[in-house]
Amino acid sequence: MQSPTQQVLFRDAMRRLNVTREQLGAQLGVTTEQFRAWLLPDDSAEFSTAPESVVNRVNQLLNNLYPSDGKILGLPWAEPIGLGSRHLISVVQFEREGIEELFRLADILQPIARRRKVTRVLEGAVLANLFFEASTRTRVSFGSAFCRLGGAVCDTTGFTFSSMAKGESISDTSRVVSGYVDAIVVRHPEQGSVAEFARATNVPVINGGDGPGEHPSQALLDLYTIQREFSRLGKLLDGCHVAMVGDLKFGRTVHSLMQLLSLYRGLKFTLISPPALAMPEAVIDMASCNGHVIEIAADPIQALHSADVAYVTRIQKERLPGEPIEGLDRRFVMNRALVASACRPDVVLMHPLPRDSRSDAIDLATDLDLDPRLAIFRQTDNGIPIRMAIFAFALGVDQLVQRSMTDAPWWSPRVVGPNDQGSADD
Ligand code: NCD
């Protein structure tokens, strides 16, 4: 296997050794400033090359962790119970080591996501992107991720233009589409429907959101984002405090994220919602392990104060009866005033998006858009390397990606948004 870039190696080491950049730098006998320069992409102006002795030392530390080169080969996630093959349906398929394996590949793929490199490892492969519910970022980013690996994408959106409107079953649709493509992403309004889809095919099926059930790829990109933000802030996932705010009952992203985070140790979860939109008991039960503390609250002002991450969700009106919800009021608007009065100065502000930006909405407000703690667009950007990594593993090209990369010949902006800080490299 080709050796990874310095950045990929050091990031992988910090995750697997469970240390901050300060701690790894100290272990290697260098200042945090020096170590930071080694962590940058190699085309960054401040990048510097680490001495060979340091690279060897880090490789040695990793080899000590895996004495028999026992790194996971093959899929970083387990087969879903009762379903064959390589489907990704739920975050319960993951252990911590599998996540580290997936994130390592996502780091390798970052230069492609940032349009500096290209690959054609999936040339000839076709993806079906079947979305029976509204979507912008999940559908486009899964499609873009597949294209950036060299594949092609066929889309269908909504029931109206699909044969399900004619009464076709999920299993017939699944079998038919499987004859046309090499991987399938499905989003569907019913919980459990994507697993049903997977039961009828041997082609890998990825859950793009099953009603109020799960959204595993979103949780993976959220976790990857939290780790990258924490890396800059010198924090670790173990022992951190995550507050989830808003519609925790129907918001599938928080169901998946809470279960994924529960693989780490000693976290504090503060679940802030009106009682009618509380986190389902089943999710809380699954996350009640590894010494986590779970606190339920109904008022953001009181509950946010020590959170390292404040993860806001949209009220899922499409899954709610029209009546007003008791306890849901403007206290739940996450705006500049609330963050100033209730949050830590180094809080990471997250949201899976879309947010409802209408003036009467109870959601994440736009007056935080210039606040560097707002990680929402770093989150969406991270959807590409994470989804590329999922496809690369599902289709067995994970080992080919790195050596297949060549320089991208076209022009692209260094930072994509006018308000981006340009620190996403860090
Ligand atoms: C979320 C979803 O669809 O679950 N969006 C997304 O995929 N990023 C969140 C939402 O719709 O509120």
Side-chain angles (χ1 to χ4, degrees), residues 133-139 187 208-209 211 214-215 218 221 250-253 311 313-316 318-319 351-355 363 380 387:
E133 253 195 341
S135 173
T136 303
R137 75 225 71 239
T138 307
R139 188 169 58 85
R187 171 171 284 190
E214 277 214 47
H215 197 343
Q218 178 71 40
L221 76 89
F250 297 109
R252 55 193 166 203
T253 68
Y311 188 105
T313 63
R314 183 179 63 87
I315 308 301
Q316 310 280 297
E318 66 275 33
R319 305 191 203 289
H351 189 300
L353 299 184
R355 58 179 155 170
D363 209 326
T380 49
R387 291 182 169 123

Side-chain angles (χ1 to χ4, degrees), residues 15 32 37 43-44 69 117 122 134 139 189 197 222 269 318 331 338 343 367 371 376 408 425:
R15 275 192 299 263
T32 306
D43 59 355
S44 151
D69 198 21
K117 298 277 180 191
L122 284 188
R139 188 169 58 85
F197 209 97
D222 289 340
F269 291 102
E318 66 275 33
R331 287 172 308 158
L338 178 61
C343 292
D367 68 356
D371 190 318
I376 53 175
D425 281 346

Side-chain angles (χ1 to χ4, degrees), residues 306-349:
S306 64
D308 298 295
V309 176
Y311 188 105
V312 186
T313 63
R314 183 179 63 87
I315 308 301
Q316 310 280 297
K317 288 195 181 123
E318 66 275 33
R319 305 191 203 289
L320 284 163
E323 304 109 53
I325 292 166
E326 208 183 312
L328 180 66
D329 51 43
R330 298 204 64 78
R331 287 172 308 158
F332 281 88
V333 177
M334 182 68 84
N335 56 17
R336 205 190 298 170
L338 178 61
V339 172
S341 64
C343 292
R344 291 169 63 109
D346 63 351
V347 68
V348 178
L349 297 168

Side-chain angles (χ1 to χ4, degrees), residues 144-372:
S144 167
F146 205 82
C147 291
R148 289 199 187 278
L149 287 169
V153 182
C154 302
D155 263 301
T156 157
T157 44
F159 284 99
T160 323
F161 299 109
S162 101
S163 285
M164 286 202 188
K166 301 178 184 171
E168 187 168 55
S169 67
I170 287 184
S171 62
D172 276 6
T173 307
S174 173
R175 171 61 190 87
V176 169
V177 173
S178 301
Y180 306 151
V181 300
D182 304 287
I184 306 173
V185 177
V186 186
R187 171 171 284 190
H188 192 282
E190 276 162 45
Q191 187 161 355
S193 54
V194 182
E196 195 182 333
F197 209 97
R199 225 166 272 126
T201 177
N202 292 324
V203 168
V205 171
I206 316 291
N207 184 356
D210 60 330
E214 277 214 47
H215 197 343
S217 66
Q218 178 71 40
L220 287 162
L221 76 89
D222 289 340
L223 181 64
Y224 181 72
T225 305
I226 295 174
Q227 272 200 341
R228 288 183 77 101
E229 299 291 309
F230 276 13
S231 164
R232 255 192 303 111
L233 296 167
K235 294 184 183 186
L236 294 175
L237 278 165
D238 287 334
C240 77
H241 179 185
V242 177
M244 295 178 171
V245 190
D247 184 349
L248 309 183
K249 180 172 182 184
F250 297 109
R252 55 193 166 203
T253 68
V254 280
H255 302 167
S256 293
L257 181 58
M258 184 163 175
Q259 290 178 72
L260 213 48
L261 282 167
S262 71
L263 293 172
Y264 294 79
R265 279 187 300 273
L267 268 72
K268 180 170 175 189
F269 291 102
T270 303
L271 307 175
I272 313 168
S273 70
L277 299 180
M279 183 69 87
E281 281 300 324
V283 178
I284 295 183
D285 287 349
M286 287 179 92
S288 301
C289 55
N290 292 343
H292 303 311
V293 173
I294 301 174
E295 181 184 84
I296 315 276
D299 184 353
I301 292 249
Q302 311 292 331
L304 277 168
H305 61 91
S306 64
D308 298 295
V309 176
Y311 188 105
V312 186
T313 63
R314 183 179 63 87
I315 308 301
Q316 310 280 297
K317 288 195 181 123
E318 66 275 33
R319 305 191 203 289
L320 284 163
E323 304 109 53
I325 292 166
E326 208 183 312
L328 180 66
D329 51 43
R330 298 204 64 78
R331 287 172 308 158
F332 281 88
V333 177
M334 182 68 84
N335 56 17
R336 205 190 298 170
L338 178 61
V339 172
S341 64
C343 292
R344 291 169 63 109
D346 63 351
V347 68
V348 178
L349 297 168
M350 298 178 70
H351 189 300
L353 299 184
R355 58 179 155 170
D356 187 342
S357 297
R358 288 168 285 202
S359 57
D360 60 341
I362 295 177
D363 209 326
L364 174 69
T366 50
D367 68 356
L368 284 163
D369 281 9
L370 295 178
D371 190 318

